[in-house]
């Protein structure tokens, strides 16, 4: 096979290709139109999340525990989208399916790393809502900048370490047969299944990843909102209940958009065969749409950021009016 690198190992020989080939959208009808749509989504994602990070960075009143998690989520959204979309453009717009072995592993690492951070931050924000509604008088003593900083840092470090272990297992795989990846990026599952030696560690790690970053976060978020609903029953007025619940609507939308498509794919794959085109469309949307919706539905929709935008608008308007009267 051309383009193969043979690496001697003490126990056996590892076979690594110079390049992988990403089939991606090659068999997808109207692929260029769909990729153009994804590029628009990416543009909105970059614009929205960059604005969120900029506002939180410059406004000191937003240097609070909640906005530490929101800032971290926005960075993860930017990172994941930027890791994915260059492949889409290269694959469809320029009809280039090849990706170097090292670049492919880097792509896999960053996509899964940032996606796992997104999952952690959505869970952290559910915890923030749980404390705010269930323990309102103790919120500022429980959720401090220090505790949130520790939680966020541990989340990033844990996921980075987990992904590094995953890369070590991938590096130990031999690819002596096909190098065609049945996905639109360097997807972990389609890659380790191409191996012609034992891929059990990667297979186990993939299942653990699903548990840690899909089922466990969903369970924690579910328990958080169950406790929130229980706490709301203790509020006498419907107005008070609705006011408290309104602070959760945006987060619930993000959680639904992030987890439900992935859950559908994983569960459906266990029982029915899924058309490859349908799987690629679903997974691509499940990776890109939540990152776009985060600033629109959640971050920029918070009362504090809305107030900051209003202040900036009033300040700019005042600066425009003053020179007129000065004349």
């Amino acid at each position: 096979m051309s383009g193969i690198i043979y690496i001697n190992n003490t126990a056996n020989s590892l076979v690594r290709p110079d390049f992988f080939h990403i089939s991606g959208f090659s068999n997808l009808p109207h692929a260029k139109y769909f990729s153009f749509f994804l590029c628009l989504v990416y543009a909105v994602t970059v614009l929205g999340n960059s604005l969120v990070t900029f506002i939180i960075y410059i406004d000191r009143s937003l240097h609070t525990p909640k906005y530490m998690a929101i800032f971290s989520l926005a960075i993860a959204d930017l990172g994941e989208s930027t890791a994915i979309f260059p492949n889409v453009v290269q694959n469809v717009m320029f009809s280039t399916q090849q990706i170097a072995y090292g670049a492919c592993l880097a792509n896999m690492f960053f996509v899964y790393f940032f996606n796992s951070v997104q999952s952690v931050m959505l869970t952290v924000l559910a915890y923030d809502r749980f404390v705010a509604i269930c323990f309102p008088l103790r919120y500022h003593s429980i959720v401090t900048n220090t505790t949130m900083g520790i939680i966020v840092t541990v989340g990033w470090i844990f996921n980075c370490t987990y992904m590094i272990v995953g890369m070590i297992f991938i590096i130990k795989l031999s690819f002596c047969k096909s190098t065609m990846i049945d996905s639109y990026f360097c997807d972990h599952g389609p890659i380790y299944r191409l191996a012609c030696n034992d891929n059990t560690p990667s297979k186990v790690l993939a299942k653990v990843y699903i548990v840690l970053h899909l089922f466990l976060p969903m369970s924690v978020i579910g328990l958080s909102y169950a406790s929130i609903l229980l706490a709301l029953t203790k509020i006498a007025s419907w107005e008070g209940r609705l006011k408290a619940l309104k602070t959760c609507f945006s987060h619930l939308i993000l959680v639904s958009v992030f987890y439900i498509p992935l859950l559908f794919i994983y569960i459906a794959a266990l029982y029915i065969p899924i058309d490859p085109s349908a799987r690629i469309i679903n997974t691509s949307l499940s990776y890109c749409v939540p990152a776009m919706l985060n600033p629109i539905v959640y971050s920029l929709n918070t009362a504090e950021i809305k107030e900051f935008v209003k202040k900036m608008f009033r300040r700019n308007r005042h600066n425009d009016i003053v020179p007129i009267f000065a004349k």
Side-chain angles (χ1 to χ4, degrees), residues 84-103:
I84 287 178
F85 279 97
N87 279 330
V88 174
V89 174
Q90 184 182 25
N91 186 269
V92 180
M93 300 298 185
F94 300 104
S95 300
T96 304
Q97 294 184 336
Q98 281 192 345
I99 181 170
Y101 177 85

Side-chain angles (χ1 to χ4, degrees), residues 189-201:
I191 286 181
Y192 80 71
R193 293 189 189 98
L194 294 175
C196 51
N197 60 344
D198 184 20
N199 62 8
T200 302

